[in-house]
Amino acid sequence: LSNLQAVAHTPHKDLNMSDFAMKLMGAGQQYLKDYDEENKTRLIALGASDYMNEYTREVSVLERRNYQQGRDFSEVVSAQTQRRQNFMRELNRMVQDPTMTEDQIFDANKEFLQSTVNDIYASGLDPDLKEKLYEETLKENLQYQKMIGEGLQAAALDRYTGTARLIAAKTVTELAAVERTPEEQVEYVGTQFELIKQGAIQSGYAKTEEEANTAATNTLKGALDFWFKSVDPKAPDAANSLNQLRDIGEN
């Protein structure tokens, strides 16, 4: 390095040229390691930012690896974001589709999670960067599972409510319009109750028979309450309507 003539050492010397070369290489390796550790975070962030801004810069040989890691990290995140957006659209479609079962929808979520994990695993990222992406993926998946559950419940409620309201409105209208004996009233209301109950189960709104019974009961109570509140006390047939409601309640 100094352009000086090499000094001959006798075999009896502790320090020979090969020892010197090894020490020199060791010092160089330690310098590279220290430089790498000190600049890793900065270079990864720089590479990630450049990728997102569609910009590439020249970096030194010592900085090239970490800079590329940042670009690769940003590329994986970008691909995951695109896949996530596509999956969210498909998820919303499946949740609104009455032919899709809960198991099918949750299976689709599992496939999405697996494909995301596989992409991270196959990337050339360092273990610490992969670990960061794995953690974020698992956190997101917990949110997706919660969102799927809430979405399914909301869609089921919409399907159930639409059908139940129609049946309840028909029930009240026919009870008011058609004269029935007490036994016939009980039979008719029971038939309508079963229709609403089955709708609660088939829509997915009710998971158990007890839940379906509660849903049907509340729907019919709401319909009768609406009938009661809609009676005009000044109307000529007000007394007749209230008597009908009283009789239905008793029967």
Side-chain angles (χ1 to χ4, degrees), residues 116-181:
T116 302
V117 170
N118 288 343
D119 280 355
I120 297 171
Y121 179 80
S123 69
L125 296 174
D126 285 347
D128 59 329
L129 294 179
K130 286 185 178 181
E131 186 66 26
K132 186 180 295 185
L133 290 176
Y134 286 142
E135 289 176 1
E136 290 301 316
T137 298
L138 292 176
K139 286 178 185 177
E140 286 180 356
N141 191 59
L142 290 175
Q143 292 299 317
Y144 291 154
Q145 289 181 331
K146 180 181 177 183
M147 186 183 66
I148 290 171
E150 291 174 348
L152 286 170
Q153 186 68 9
L157 177 59
D158 285 343
R159 290 193 293 270
Y160 165 71
T161 301
T163 304
R165 281 178 177 171
L166 289 174
I167 296 174
K170 180 174 181 289
T171 303
V172 169
T173 301
E174 293 198 357
L175 283 173
V178 180
E179 286 288 336
R180 289 181 172 86
T181 65

Side-chain angles (χ1 to χ4, degrees), residues 23-164:
K23 287 179 181 292
L24 183 64
M25 289 181 66
Q29 288 173 345
Q30 186 60 47
Y31 169 78
L32 293 175
K33 182 179 179 182
D34 292 343
Y35 185 89
D36 187 72
E37 289 298 323
E38 290 172 5
N39 293 273
K40 181 175 182 178
T41 302
R42 175 181 66 84
L43 290 168
I44 288 175
L46 188 64
S49 176
D50 283 355
Y51 180 89
M52 288 187 290
N53 290 299
E54 298 182 351
Y55 177 77
T56 303
R57 72 183 71 213
E58 289 294 328
V59 294
S60 71
V61 174
L62 298 181
E63 298 175 331
R64 194 167 297 160
R65 184 180 183 283
N66 286 327
Y67 177 77
Q68 187 59 44
Q69 281 281 295
R71 293 185 67 86
D72 292 345
F73 180 86
S74 201
E75 183 177 9
V76 172
V77 170
S78 179
Q80 285 184 326
T81 300
Q82 184 61 51
R83 177 187 281 112
R84 186 182 306 114
Q85 291 173 348
N86 294 336
F87 176 68
M88 290 299 295
R89 284 193 290 269
E90 180 64 11
L91 186 61
N92 288 331
R93 183 196 67 77
M94 288 189 293
V95 166
Q96 297 298 326
D97 186 350
T99 65
M100 296 291 295
T101 66
E102 285 192 28
D103 288 342
Q104 287 175 316
I105 295 174
F106 278 107
D107 284 345
N109 182 58
K110 289 177 186 176
E111 290 178 10
F112 168 75
L113 173 64
Q114 189 61 54
S115 63
T116 302
V117 170
N118 288 343
D119 280 355
I120 297 171
Y121 179 80
S123 69
L125 296 174
D126 285 347
D128 59 329
L129 294 179
K130 286 185 178 181
E131 186 66 26
K132 186 180 295 185
L133 290 176
Y134 286 142
E135 289 176 1
E136 290 301 316
T137 298
L138 292 176
K139 286 178 185 177
E140 286 180 356
N141 191 59
L142 290 175
Q143 292 299 317
Y144 291 154
Q145 289 181 331
K146 180 181 177 183
M147 186 183 66
I148 290 171
E150 291 174 348
L152 286 170
Q153 186 68 9
L157 177 59
D158 285 343
R159 290 193 293 270
Y160 165 71
T161 301
T163 304

